[in-house]
Amino acid sequence: MSVNQQAHTGPPYGQPQPGYQGYQQPAYGGQSLPGAPQAQYGAYNGPMPGYQQPVPPQGYFPSLGFPSKGSPVSLNSDTSSLAPNFIGSLRAPPTSGAPPPASGASHPSGPLAYSQFEHGDVQNGIPASAAPVQRPPASQPFLPGSAPTPVSQISTFQQYGPPPASVQQLRNHMAGMTIGSTAASAPPPAGLGYASVPPVSGSVSATGSGLYTPYSASQGPPLTSVSQGLPLAQPPLPAQAISTQRPPTQVPGFTPPPPSAGVGPSSYPPTTGAPRPPAMPGPPLPGQTVAGPPSSQPNHVSSPPPPSAMAGLHPGPPMSGLHGPPPPTHPPQPGYPMQQNGSFGQMRGPQPNYGGAYPGAPNYGSPPGPPPPPKRLDPDSIPSPIQVIEDDRNNRGSEPFVTGVRGQVPPLVTTNFLVKDQGNASPRYIRCTSYNIPCTSDMAKQSQVPLAAVIKPLATLPPEETLPYLVDHGESGPVRCNRCKAYMCPFMQFIEGGRRFQCCFCSCVTEVPPHYFQHLDHTGKRVDFYDRPELSLGSYEFLATVDYCKNNKFPSPPAFIFMIDVSYNAVKSGLVRLICEELKSLLDYLPREGNMEESAIRVGFVTYNKVLHFYNVKSSLAQPQMMVVSDVADMFVPLLDGFLVNVNESRTVIASLLDQIPEMFADTRETETVFAPVIQAGLEALKAAECAGKLFIFHTSLPIAEAPGKLKNRDDRKLINTDKEKTLFQPQTSFYNNLAKDCVAQGCCVDLFLFPNQYLDVATLGVVPYQTGGSIYKYAYFQLETDQYRFLNDLRRDVQKEVGFDAVMRVRTSTGIRATDFFGAFYMSNTTDVEMAGLDCDKTITVEFKHDDKLSEDSGALLQCALLYTSCAGQRRLRIHNLSLNCCTQLADLYRNCETDTLINYLAKYAYRGVLSSPVKTVRDALINQCAQILACYRKNCASPSSAGQLILPECMKLLPVYLNCVLKSDVLQPGPEVTTDDRAYIRQLVTSMDVAETNVFFYPRLLPLTKADVDSDSLPAAIRNSEERLSKGDIYLLENGLNIFVWVGVSVQQGLIQNLFGVSSFSQISNALSTLPVLENPLSKKVRSIVDMLQRQRSRYMKLIIVKQEDKLEMLFKHFLVEDKSLTGGASYVDFLCHMHKEIRQLLS
């Protein structure tokens, strides 16, 4: 999907020299990005052979194969006038069904173990290998607590209302449908893989039955989107509009109803290739005639349908407006126009013999009148995240992204690309929701597109990109604007022969200091332009002078303090011994500056249960000394000299201590712990040493011992879906907020490793890590054999990664906009400065901007992010990132330059903060409403005129509905019964500081068919869409979401594959308990393990590996991540949600 960009004719930024002489480069090690493979459709085994499709009864369209693409009318592809993503004809489902449950209501389902995060339907998904921002391993899944039980699969009757009263009614019914001009082709033979049809560029084309297994004609047509009351009359053409007609029905809420007897999207077809249920499953229920068509076997039935005359439909008022034909609306259009690279799959034509009513439809007691259900929207014809990702890779992955041009939209986060800094910061440091912002606040309000930037100031770069240069201006420090204090950057304008410069942010004119003076060339540029990073690059660093330091004193190098819970649970589980063993070797890998021989960081050790034990590990001692502080109400540090030491000098004493700790507490019976005094102790130690630093706290239980910050168990699942639900996300006491404020003032960052076996109030314990810029890692039900590898990988990466201490960040903007809101892990004592005791290379700060004046198209808008921090060697530095954006007076230019992944990142963070103060349902409704307004504004002002039955999406935002649905279905906003309160609080905090690549794969996981991997190449297999219908029982798949990796094994996988991958001879012998894949000497094993390793390297946390066998109890957990499907907690399927969004947009437009 190329984003239309005008070539900019601004002054050319020339090529920067390969190296600036005399500037040292700080060593921020990055990891290389593996080459991004291409993703096209993976295998799909097609419908099950052996089910003949009898001649279709009149009045019904069976699912046809895709006809060859007709040539749609091609409109010119300029977003300004077009409907880029046009999606087929939606029409209300004539069922008398219950209204769907109000959104936000929790729905019953079999328990899912929690290693999951709600289906985040984030389809812009997961790069096949691309995440440009690297994240070394570390991961924190939620452990499956109790094994979930599979939901039994029930085969039920579908019921349809009686046929239309007359042929005339039927014709009226047909008149509303826009039938495309394509010839219908016969269904292809079963078993054809999707991969066999080359995707048309920009369109998802496929043979086979489409995502939904075809219904045999006797079964009756699949209903479309029961939940919304807008089935699609037929799947759309490859234009990006979905033409939809609907009767004037309003269904409250949008969550689809529980599966109605296998009808339509609310129930899942059997896993592809699974044998279909017999046509007549058992005796008919009371009141049913045997002639009724059986449904396909639903795979996710929340509960058995009530045995009433309305079998399968939940009781409830019939949908109004569904009896009788819908009113005819606009005349059919001649085919669908091809809208600006729209990528839709091919359309299926109408049934040739759609003559009269379906003769055999039994009455089942419903009043006569509804027309037969129209065809469902074909999932292959709606925008596919996989296709969008693939197109972007193919179009933009080969060329470097050169940042010299203002307002360029970068490649997607899923594309592996190289960045050349020529005056604007790399998208690895800053990504925006739109690169062309409205000139006026009225236009911004009208569009409802939030203007935000996701900033990752210390992001890791791949090895082939240059790290920011370090500029030293000596004692005078960096050159700044006199008025707004912006730092010298490429956009400053030198005047009067170079003696003064005009600020690009506030227009104030400042004298150039004598030492900084340089003549200008004939274009008005300084002649040393290319010799100075701050004049020619978007990102660079300044060495800060003493004026930028606390108390006008240069800082000491930071310290790391390891604080280990030695209560009964921690000792018994083997955790204490594991940590002590690991620290012996890990202390040699503390972060160090550039080419320094050893790290400047000092270390200290504390153990605790109800009391605290401090250790003197001074190098002159023969043995470590322990000092106990039992007065936890008034915490102090009992020793100064010998507590924080240099690792190399005290190596033998430290080794002796780490050997002794597990033995000293081996027989402990103490089960209670304190928590706040532990943080206070670390804070006091750093104060005494007059340095910043980080506390690594390893904690196992709710701190119930008598002490400051004592907590009680307040977990209450009955609060879910009530107005008091927000209290579950709020800390139970303000004590920790005050403690966090003190920590930030000292530069004391807290990283918390939790090992809970029950509730421990993450919402409260997480306050200090969150507000100090630290991290939380959670290993529920920690077991040494299965979890130690993941924990140790997380710990190693956490200790070794680059961190800035005592950090303050400010974002300046040019006149016309200003930063108004901030999201992330930090503390703010005023409205402009973001303060963090520590900021690491994985953390992002999201900033929202609002207009405070008009902007001009000529000058554009500028952002400058300045981060002041102390490096791990104790050097005070300023890191500067600059970005220039275009401004527009036409809404079409705004919509043509948006970035959906960044928009979803912002919306998720906005919603996750909203749950602290509003009921979850309110937050969900606000999200849906905002997105509907964004899309309705586009439809009204930018799309070419077309029938109201068409859903038209901007090309850049065609994945907004699918990704938004993923956010709505996430555990924070729609938890299943198995999701704990701690899990939700943990995920809420985690997402708040994620970067765009992380939220992308978190909400729309990456699904790879391992059996399709080429063992001889380095590339990943092509990703497939997150839906159960894409899985074949003869294959093995890998799904990753940044916290977990699932390996799903189908029941019919060949024995040889099982032997090669798992080292056992049959499916039944595969163990669910594996936490790593066995190392076997064969090409498949090597390939799959290399894929897993590659994915682990891309993520900031080590992902937990979970083996899932088809039809096993863990499969419910796995299905939770198939985010295009309806979720067990009541979340809509992608198709249903798209229909719902269309309904919302039409309401707004009318």
Side-chain angles (χ1 to χ4, degrees):
M1 287 166 42
S2 62
V3 175
N4 306 342
Q5 294 158 344
Q6 300 92 354
H8 206 74
T9 53
Y13 287 87
Q15 298 297 331
Q17 309 310 340
Y20 289 98
Q21 280 68 28
Y23 294 112
Q24 80 194 78
Q25 282 177 244
Y28 298 139
Q31 266 125 275
S32 65
L33 283 173
Q38 312 202 338
Q40 87 270 2
Y41 282 90
Y44 164 54
N45 279 0
M48 189 58 192
Y51 274 76
Q52 298 169 348
Q53 308 255 354
V55 179
Q58 300 164 316
Y60 152 57
F61 320 82
S63 298
L64 298 183
F66 293 102
S68 55
K69 200 181 214 174
S71 42
V73 184
S74 169
L75 295 181
N76 98 35
S77 67
D78 179 354
T79 331
S80 57
S81 56
L82 306 182
N85 289 346
F86 158 67
I87 310 190
S89 224
L90 296 154
R91 183 98 91 34
T95 49
S96 45
S103 64
S106 98
H107 295 265
S109 72
L112 289 162
Y114 201 63
S115 251
Q116 61 195 38
F117 305 118
E118 255 284 19
H119 260 89
D121 200 297
V122 177
Q123 297 196 174
N124 220 1
I126 339 254
S129 115
V133 183
Q134 246 47 42
R135 303 172 239 140
S139 143
Q140 187 104 355
F142 296 7
L143 268 220
S146 53
T149 48
V151 170
S152 58
Q153 305 192 334
I154 306 158
S155 194
T156 53
F157 291 102
Q158 271 176 309
Q159 55 240 33
Y160 293 108
S166 68
V167 175
Q168 180 55 43
Q169 256 183 301
L170 184 70
R171 286 191 184 125
N172 295 346
H173 173 53
M174 289 294 295
M177 290 188 187
T178 322
I179 306 286
S181 51
T182 44
S185 66
L192 219 58
Y194 272 107
S196 58
V197 183
V200 184
S201 128
S203 76
V204 180
S205 76
T207 41
S209 59
L211 276 201
Y212 289 82
T213 23
Y215 287 66
S216 48
S218 64
Q219 274 179 280
L223 268 197
T224 307
S225 52
V226 177
S227 53
Q228 280 80 252
L230 338 147
L232 282 104
Q234 81 272 355
L237 263 191
Q240 284 265 340
I242 296 190
S243 92
T244 79
Q245 308 239 188
R246 295 173 306 112
T249 337
Q250 260 334 318
V251 185
F254 78 92
T255 335
S260 18
V263 183
S266 359
S267 69
Y268 294 118
T271 306
T272 333
R276 285 188 174 281
M280 276 303 308
L285 293 173
Q288 284 180 316
T289 46
V290 176
S295 75
S296 67
Q297 176 182 9
N299 263 348
H300 287 187
V301 179
S302 306
S303 54
S308 64
M310 303 283 285
L313 285 186
H314 282 238
M319 298 184 193
S320 60
L322 289 186
H323 301 289
T329 48
H330 303 265
Q333 307 200 328
Y336 299 87
M338 171 58 114
Q339 313 270 11
Q340 135 169 359
N341 334 333
S343 11
F344 278 147
Q346 320 225 354
M347 177 182 129
R348 303 170 177 171
Q351 246 324 64
N353 53 352
Y354 189 129
Y358 173 32
N363 223 338
Y364 296 159
S366 50
K375 248 175 97 173
R376 63 155 35 263
L377 175 56
D378 167 35
D380 269 343
S381 62
I382 55 183
S384 157
I386 303 300
Q387 190 64 47
V388 170
I389 289 168
E390 191 51 34
D391 291 347
D392 191 75
R393 273 199 193 125
N394 295 338
N395 298 334
R396 307 196 63 184
S398 51
E399 292 297 307
F401 178 67
V402 181
T403 71
V405 180
R406 182 174 84 189
Q408 277 187 105
V409 182
L412 297 180
V413 286
T414 43
T415 298
N416 192 12
F417 59 100
L418 201 63
V419 180
K420 287 195 174 160
D421 184 343
Q422 293 193 1
N424 282 292
S426 159
R428 303 194 205 288
Y429 294 124
I430 306 183
R431 277 188 177 263
C432 294
T433 52
S434 178
Y435 288 80
N436 200 332
I437 62 181
C439 283
T440 65
S441 61
D442 290 347
M443 193 172 151
K445 282 192 188 101
Q446 185 185 358
S447 74
Q448 286 286 310
V449 175
L451 305 175
V454 179
I455 305 174
K456 194 174 184 182
L458 298 180
T460 305
L461 298 184
E464 54 274 25
E465 290 179 21
T466 313
L467 299 167
Y469 289 94
L470 181 60
V471 180
D472 184 358
H473 282 315
E475 288 184 15
S476 58
V479 178
R480 303 175 69 176
C481 165
N482 271 347
R483 183 196 289 160
C484 70
K485 301 299 181 200
Y487 294 86
M488 179 54 67
C489 71
F491 313 119
M492 297 289 191
Q493 190 69 45
F494 286 87
I495 54 176
E496 296 177 22
R499 285 189 292 278
R500 295 174 162 206
F501 68 90
Q502 183 167 26
C503 177
C504 50
F505 295 94
C506 70
S507 305
C508 172
V509 174
T510 301
E511 294 280 338
V512 173
H515 71 90
Y516 199 70
F517 173 78
Q518 188 52 273
H519 294 287
L520 308 184
D521 65 11
H522 63 287
T523 64
K525 238 189 218 171
R526 283 173 56 123
V527 295
D528 63 352
F529 178 81
Y530 291 118
D531 301 330
R532 290 195 177 272
E534 72 273 22
L535 298 182
S536 55
L537 297 179
S539 300
Y540 41 87
E541 293 201 314
F542 290 120
L543 205 52
T545 59
V546 74
D547 305 334
Y548 292 85
C549 302
K550 268 188 195 164
N551 310 325
N552 280 6
K553 250 171 53 175
F554 281 115
S556 308
F560 282 1
I561 304 177
F562 297 91
M563 317 186 86
I564 306 167
D565 174 347
V566 288
S567 63
Y568 178 75
N569 278 347
V571 174
K572 186 188 65 170
S573 65
L575 182 62
V576 174
R577 187 174 297 279
L578 182 69
I579 293 168
C580 292
E581 281 303 314
E582 178 60 29
L583 287 179
K584 287 184 205 170
S585 54
L586 186 54
L587 294 177
D588 288 332
Y589 296 95
L590 299 177
R592 64 187 80 178
E593 200 77 70
N595 46 14
M596 286 172 56
E597 290 278 316
E598 63 176 49
S599 174
I601 293 174
R602 289 170 298 161
V603 298
F605 302 89
V606 172
T607 55
Y608 67 93
N609 39 46
K610 270 174 38 175
V611 298
L612 277 77
H613 322 107
F614 293 80
Y615 297 94
N616 183 344
V617 282
K618 197 172 175 179
S619 55
S620 56
L621 295 174
Q623 284 292 320
Q625 295 172 348
M626 176 163 102
M627 300 188 184
V628 180
V629 176
S630 50
D631 181 7
V632 289
D634 185 16
M635 185 45 62
F636 66 99
V637 179
L639 73 163
L640 292 180
D641 190 29
F643 179 64
L644 294 177
V645 297
N646 174 293
V647 173
N648 280 340
E649 290 171 10
S650 297
R651 182 174 300 279
T652 51
V653 192
I654 291 173
S656 170
L657 170 67
L658 294 173
D659 284 335
Q660 289 176 37
I661 288 175
E663 306 308 328
M664 266 191 294
F665 298 100
D667 301 324
T668 184
R669 284 284 167 265
E670 186 54 75
T671 55
E672 292 188 357
T673 57
V674 296
F675 184 70
V678 180
I679 297 175
Q680 288 171 325
L683 172 61
E684 292 302 323
L686 294 178
K687 272 186 186 165
E690 296 184 350
C691 68
K694 186 183 270 198
L695 312 182
F696 295 84
I697 302 180
F698 305 91
H699 189 78
T700 60
S701 59
L702 190 71
I704 54 171
E706 211 41 67
K710 172 186 173 179
L711 301 179
K712 59 179 191 290
N713 186 336
R714 53 159 187 164
D715 190 16
D716 185 1
R717 294 195 58 84
K718 293 196 286 293
L719 298 182
I720 292 179
N721 294 323
T722 68
D723 286 349
K724 288 189 177 168
E725 184 172 4
K726 57 182 181 240
T727 60
L728 297 175
F729 295 109
Q730 298 164 352
Q732 58 173 285
T733 160
S734 61
F735 181 88
Y736 288 95
N737 295 76
N738 298 326
L739 182 54
K741 183 178 168 183
D742 295 340
C743 286
V744 172
Q746 180 55 41
C748 170
C749 174
V750 177
D751 279 0
L752 181 56
F753 293 80
L754 294 172
F755 306 87
N757 289 331
Q758 56 194 17
Y759 177 76
L760 48 60
D761 203 347
V762 173
T764 306
L765 298 188
V767 168
V768 178
Y770 184 69
Q771 293 190 15
T772 58
S775 305
I776 303 179
Y777 297 85
K778 180 165 166 286
Y779 310 87
Y781 306 106
F782 178 82
Q783 288 182 308
L784 207 59
E785 53 283 3
T786 53
D787 296 314
Q788 66 166 328
Y789 197 63
R790 180 166 58 105
F791 160 59
L792 294 179
N793 273 282
D794 284 344
L795 177 60
R796 286 167 196 156
R797 181 152 194 282
D798 197 58
V799 167
Q800 294 173 42
K801 66 183 171 190
E802 186 210 338
V803 186
F805 292 95
D806 231 337
V808 183
M809 187 183 99
R810 182 176 286 193
V811 178
R812 293 178 173 85
T813 53
S814 53
T815 311
I817 53 170
R818 63 194 172 86
T820 55
D821 208 351
F822 301 85
F823 304 83
F826 52 74
Y827 173 77
M828 290 186 82
S829 55
N830 56 35
T831 56
T832 54
D833 295 336
V834 173
E835 300 173 46
M836 293 154 289
L839 172 67
D840 64 50
C841 54
D842 298 321
K843 295 282 188 305
T844 62
I845 293 96
T846 302
V847 185
E848 187 181 7
F849 303 97
K850 292 264 166 65
H851 287 74
D852 58 4
D853 203 346
K854 282 199 174 75
L855 292 164
S856 94
E857 282 188 282
D858 299 335
S859 56
L862 302 174
L863 316 178
Q864 183 179 80
C865 161
L867 175 77
L868 174 65
Y869 71 99
T870 302
S871 74
C872 55
Q875 201 175 47
R876 202 71 175 147
R877 293 181 179 178
L878 284 152
R879 181 169 289 201
I880 313 295
H881 298 297
N882 302 287
L883 187 63
S884 59
L885 303 173
N886 286 328
C887 297
C888 59
T889 52
Q890 299 296 318
L891 282 165
D893 291 326
L894 163 69
Y895 284 102
R896 202 183 288 120
N897 291 280
C898 286
E899 229 246 320
T900 301
D901 291 331
T902 311
L903 188 57
I904 287 292
N905 179 285
Y906 165 83
L907 290 171
K909 290 172 180 177
Y910 185 79
Y912 281 17
R913 185 176 68 184
V915 298
L916 290 171
S917 52
S918 307
V920 172
K921 184 179 186 312
T922 309
V923 173
R924 292 165 52 84
D925 292 347
L927 268 184
I928 294 170
N929 184 43
Q930 180 166 8
C931 290
Q933 287 187 327
I934 291 171
L935 299 175
C937 174
Y938 175 82
R939 172 65 191 263
K940 183 178 175 186
N941 299 290
C942 310
S944 50
S946 59
S947 102
Q950 289 179 331
L951 169 59
I952 301 179
L953 304 168
E955 178 64 15
C956 290
M957 291 188 181
K958 65 185 182 188
L959 299 180
L960 186 61
V962 63
Y963 287 172
L964 178 70
N965 189 35
C966 294
V967 174
L968 294 168
K969 294 201 290 189
S970 67
D971 284 340
V972 174
L973 299 181
Q974 194 167 30
E978 73 304 324
V979 181
T980 68
T981 308
D982 275 345
D983 290 335
R984 296 177 75 196
Y986 170 67
I987 289 303
R988 196 192 73 77
Q989 293 199 6
L990 205 56
V991 168
T992 307
S993 48
M994 276 186 182
D995 71 8
V996 180
E998 288 174 307
T999 50
N1000 176 287
V1001 74
F1002 178 75
F1003 289 115
Y1004 190 87
R1006 169 155 57 169
L1007 183 59
L1008 305 173
L1010 294 180
T1011 27
K1012 300 288 182 286
D1014 178 355
V1015 292
D1016 300 320
S1017 88
D1018 290 339
S1019 62
L1020 290 174
I1024 59 173
R1025 289 172 68 170
N1026 282 197
S1027 173
E1028 190 174 347
E1029 281 126 355
R1030 305 285 175 179
L1031 305 180
S1032 148
K1033 62 199 265 188
D1035 287 322
I1036 300 174
Y1037 298 86
L1038 178 149
L1039 181 144
E1040 64 127 352
N1041 72 342
L1043 295 182
N1044 299 303
I1045 291 181
F1046 291 91
V1047 174
W1048 182 90
V1049 188
V1051 288
S1052 309
V1053 173
Q1054 292 170 3
Q1055 201 174 334
L1057 288 174
I1058 291 175
Q1059 184 69 52
N1060 285 341
L1061 195 53
F1062 299 103
V1064 295
S1065 55
S1066 70
F1067 177 81
S1068 60
Q1069 291 174 300
I1070 299 171
S1071 164
N1072 288 108
L1074 290 175
S1075 56
T1076 53
L1077 290 170
V1079 178
L1080 304 171
E1081 288 303 313
N1082 65 70
L1084 178 68
S1085 175
K1086 286 178 181 168
K1087 176 66 183 176
V1088 171
R1089 283 182 288 113
S1090 79
I1091 289 173
V1092 170
D1093 290 344
M1094 181 202 258
L1095 299 180
Q1096 293 285 22
R1097 285 195 302 274
Q1098 287 176 15
R1099 306 286 166 224
S1100 61
R1101 289 165 183 250
Y1102 195 83
M1103 294 181 280
K1104 177 175 186 170
L1105 182 76
I1106 300 170
I1107 308 292
V1108 178
K1109 290 153 66 174
Q1110 188 179 357
E1111 295 168 9
D1112 187 65
K1113 55 183 186 251
L1114 272 174
E1115 197 182 23
M1116 301 303 287
L1117 170 58
F1118 172 77
K1119 285 177 180 176
H1120 182 73
F1121 296 95
L1122 299 177
V1123 290
E1124 289 197 27
D1125 297 337
K1126 183 172 182 290
S1127 71
L1128 287 167
T1129 53
S1133 69
Y1134 175 18
V1135 171
D1136 288 352
F1137 185 69
L1138 199 59
C1139 298
H1140 178 72
M1141 283 302 288
H1142 185 222
K1143 187 183 80 178
E1144 294 281 324
I1145 291 165
R1146 288 183 59 171
Q1147 265 185 340
L1148 289 170
L1149 292 175
S1150 61

